Amino acid sequence: MTASTPRIAVVTGANRGLGRAAARALAQRGFAVALTYRGDPGEAAGVVEEICDAGGDAIVVRLDLADVASFADFTVSLRHDIDARWGRSAIDVLVNNAGIGLFGRLEDATVDQFDALIGTNLRGTFFLIQALAPHIGDGGRIINVSTSLTRHVSPGTSLYAASKTAVEALSRSLAVELGPRGIRINSIAPGPTATDFNGGAIRDDPDLRSSLAAHTALGRVGEPAEIADAIAALASSELRWMTAERIEVSGGSLL
Ligand SMILES: NC(=O)c1ccc[n+]([C@@H]2O[C@H](COP(=O)([O-])OP(=O)(O)OC[C@H]3O[C@@H](n4cnc5c(N)ncnc54)[C@H](OP(=O)(O)O)[C@@H]3O)[C@@H](O)[C@H]2O)c1
């Protein structure tokens, strides 16, 4: 890698929410960012524009995490586009951010909800790591986005929490498998954060916000940039001796 070749970060689900904030935070720290979206190419292009306007560099590639059969083609496209833009195809940082939340009590849960949560959050994340790991450079980083709900418990969150607990478990195991290549893999566990997540309730419902704030040491819900800065810190060399960890970024939620 020459002095002019940038470090490359791939951030999934970066057209909005935490992923968008993470893409921006990594770009601010000098990473060239390949961001993925599933639905709205215009929204994703807007994030690329924001990053480029701020002096960074980014490209966009479509990814549906629920469609594991598409991962081989996705990997080819991603590597091709990264190489065409930045003259190398190795990935330095992979942020597995894309995910869904579906909530409901035991009696209301459906097989479709179960399959969607496990299929996207766990199956998709695992097989994306499998597809991209050979292309992550030695010494690279993988950061998996989990949730504070793997530690504290609320009614109606069992399937979502189970899908993310499984992501934390695979992060720890893969840290051992990928450690010989110097690849660090950690989980970030955000607390309630103001995004579109769960219909935007944490951002838009004042009653929910104040109830969550009342159970949070720092007295409010999180903002996307606060999670993104923690992701960027994990991607930095300062935290190079950290692997297989779960780092909660929740302002002290439900302690
Ligand atoms: N906000 C919170 O309070 C909170 C707390 C803890 C953990 N988290 C986790 O943080 C991550 C980001 O959440 P967020 O708050 O930013 O939610 P969000 O605003 O709803 O954004 C979700 C992102 O994931 C993408 N995505 C969803 N399903 C996908 C699929 N099948 N394939 C590819 N991309 C897909 C979405 O893409 P499209 O827009 O194209 O659908 C979008 O970019 C999730 O893993 C979530 O579980 C969030």
Side-chain angles (χ1 to χ4, degrees):
M1 189 163 60
T2 67
S4 61
T5 312
R7 293 167 300 158
I8 291 163
V10 175
V11 184
T12 66
N15 50 298
R16 57 195 171 99
L18 301 186
R20 171 183 171 224
R24 289 163 49 122
L26 289 163
Q28 279 164 7
R29 288 158 178 82
F31 284 92
V33 180
L35 58 95
T36 82
Y37 73 101
R38 174 187 51 168
D40 182 348
E43 193 173 47
V47 180
V48 169
E49 198 175 320
E50 281 172 2
I51 289 173
C52 294
D53 286 351
D57 203 2
I59 60 171
V60 61
V61 186
R62 184 174 186 279
L63 168 71
D64 182 352
L65 211 51
D67 182 9
V68 168
S70 70
F71 288 4
D73 286 347
F74 165 78
T75 302
V76 170
S77 296
L78 176 73
R79 297 188 74 223
H80 171 272
D81 293 356
I82 287 174
D83 190 27
R85 181 68 156 249
W86 296 302
R88 64 190 289 249
S89 54
I91 297 163
D92 298 293
V93 174
L94 168 63
V95 182
N96 286 306
N97 163 77
I100 57 170
L102 296 170
F103 301 97
R105 286 177 175 268
L106 175 64
E107 58 271 26
D108 299 321
T110 66
V111 171
D112 283 349
Q113 281 181 333
F114 183 102
D115 289 347
L117 277 167
I118 300 298
T120 303
N121 294 352
L122 174 59
R123 186 170 178 264
T125 300
F126 179 82
F127 284 105
L128 190 67
I129 294 172
Q130 184 191 61
L132 294 185
H135 311 296
I136 296 175
D138 291 357
R141 312 268 194 279
I142 300 173
I143 299 157
N144 293 328
V145 177
S146 178
T147 171
S148 61
L149 284 164
T150 59
R151 174 183 57 78
H152 58 73
V153 173
S154 301
T157 63
S158 58
L159 285 180
Y160 175 68
S163 73
K164 293 292 192 175
T165 300
V167 168
E168 292 178 8
L170 73 84
S171 305
R172 286 171 50 80
S173 290
L174 293 180
V176 176
E177 290 190 37
L178 298 174
R181 292 177 50 206
I183 295 175
R184 287 80 163 162
I185 175 163
N186 295 289
S187 308
I188 281 270
T193 309
T195 68
D196 296 337
F197 191 72
N198 196 20
I202 296 163
R203 183 191 54 217
D204 301 333
D205 179 341
D207 291 339
L208 180 61
R209 280 175 76 92
S210 55
S211 141
L212 292 167
H215 295 99
T216 302
L218 295 181
R220 60 175 175 80
V221 302
E223 295 299 325
E226 292 168 323
I227 311 303
D229 284 346
I231 290 172
L234 267 181
S236 75
S237 59
E238 276 77 7
L239 298 184
R240 65 190 171 278
W241 194 235
M242 185 183 284
T243 194
E245 295 293 344
R246 172 193 185 273
I247 297 100
E248 186 164 316
V249 191
S250 71
S253 181
L254 282 161
L255 294 174

